[in-house]
Amino acid sequence: MNRMQNRVVIVTGAGTGIGRATARAFSAAGAHVVAVGRRAAPLAETADGHPLITPLTADITAADTPEHVVRAALDRHGRIDVLVNNAGIAGGGVLADLDEAAARRQLATNLLAPTRLAHAALAGLIDTGGVIVNVTTSVGQRAWPGSSVYAAGKTALDSLTRSWAVELAPRGVRVVAVAPGAIDTPIGEHQGLSPQQRKAVREWQLSRTPLGRVGRPEDVAWAIRWLCSSEAAFVTGVVLPVDGGAVVG
């Protein structure tokens, strides 16, 4: 049953992983999706066989991207109902070996870009009584030595979620976050980790995941889709872990 017929959804980082699964989940529910990413080929794969998905190649950290993305959605579909701030990059490194340029890139992508996109889309979301979904990380709620900048940026996005929820509730806009744990996505490859390093990370993650498995992108996409549904109309300001119990384990 198409529960989001004619709704318009913007999904960033839609070329792979959680973003791809989320774009397809909304499309399957009847929504028109603007799928944003840096690389055209993965976006085309996301949209293949899904006529309600429109790929849009853009770097979300560029100064003109927020207005460009919003304008593309409005010009094509005339409205914006949901903004999913999913795009993110990970990076490692301990404080003693701080790489300031790498830290700035992470914060620009994981924290500032979602803020700027939400600002640019706000008028459209107010018009429709829409929803902002921020994709963060459950591990950010615990210590994450070796990836502290990544965890800090995502935890800051949790805080923005709660603050925006209170600010925007009187204007009819809900703001929520989904905090994935260990999910089967290419983020380790994008981070430049070797197969051996990725294996070690997975073993560490599994040892701290009570359900004993790595999640699927579709597990997270389901949560995002549900939080944007009419059934969740009284939910705002929440940060929902989708992590196999990692936060409480």
Side-chain angles (χ1 to χ4, degrees):
M1 183 176 180
N2 291 342
R3 303 297 298 273
M4 298 198 73
Q5 193 76 37
N6 298 322
R7 302 283 183 89
V8 178
V9 181
I10 297 170
V11 181
T12 67
T16 60
I18 292 169
R20 173 177 289 178
T22 299
R24 289 178 172 176
F26 277 110
S27 173
H32 296 281
V33 180
V34 178
V36 182
R38 290 182 295 110
R39 297 176 297 153
L43 289 176
E45 291 180 25
T46 296
D48 187 30
H50 300 269
L52 296 182
I53 298 178
T54 302
L56 179 63
T57 305
D59 177 357
I60 63 167
T61 66
D64 60 347
T65 292
E67 294 297 336
H68 173 55
V69 169
V70 169
R71 179 49 51 197
L74 292 175
D75 286 349
R76 186 174 183 87
H77 301 296
R79 58 186 289 150
I80 299 171
D81 296 274
V82 177
L83 168 64
V84 181
N85 283 314
N86 166 72
I89 58 173
V94 297
L95 180 60
D97 300 323
L98 175 67
D99 182 337
E100 185 170 337
R104 287 180 180 274
R105 284 193 297 272
Q106 287 188 67
L107 293 174
T109 302
N110 300 346
L111 183 60
L112 295 179
T115 302
R116 295 170 60 239
L117 277 165
H119 174 73
L122 184 55
L125 292 166
I126 290 171
D127 286 344
T128 61
V131 186
I132 298 170
V133 184
N134 295 318
V135 179
T136 64
T137 177
S138 66
V139 187
Q141 300 176 40
R142 304 175 68 169
W144 197 348
S147 293
S148 58
V149 172
Y150 175 76
K154 290 292 192 174
T155 303
L157 197 53
D158 286 344
S159 180
L160 285 176
T161 297
R162 290 185 282 266
S163 296
W164 293 349
V166 175
E167 288 179 13
L168 299 178
R171 308 184 78 175
V173 175
R174 296 190 296 114
V175 188
V176 295
V178 172
I183 306 296
D184 185 15
T185 73
I187 193 168
E189 298 170 38
H190 295 166
Q191 192 178 344
L193 300 181
S194 69
Q196 293 78 13
Q197 289 172 317
R198 296 199 298 272
K199 183 174 183 290
V201 169
R202 281 291 185 237
E203 290 174 351
W204 178 84
Q205 290 173 324
L206 284 170
S207 71
R208 289 159 175 80
T209 304
L211 285 183
R213 71 170 177 88
V214 172
R216 299 172 298 118
E218 291 77 11
D219 295 325
V220 184
W222 170 86
I224 293 171
R225 229 288 291 146
W226 179 80
L227 284 168
C228 296
S229 69
S230 58
E231 291 89 344
F234 201 53
V235 178
T236 196
V238 68
V239 178
L240 176 65
V242 183
D243 64 358
V247 166
V248 296

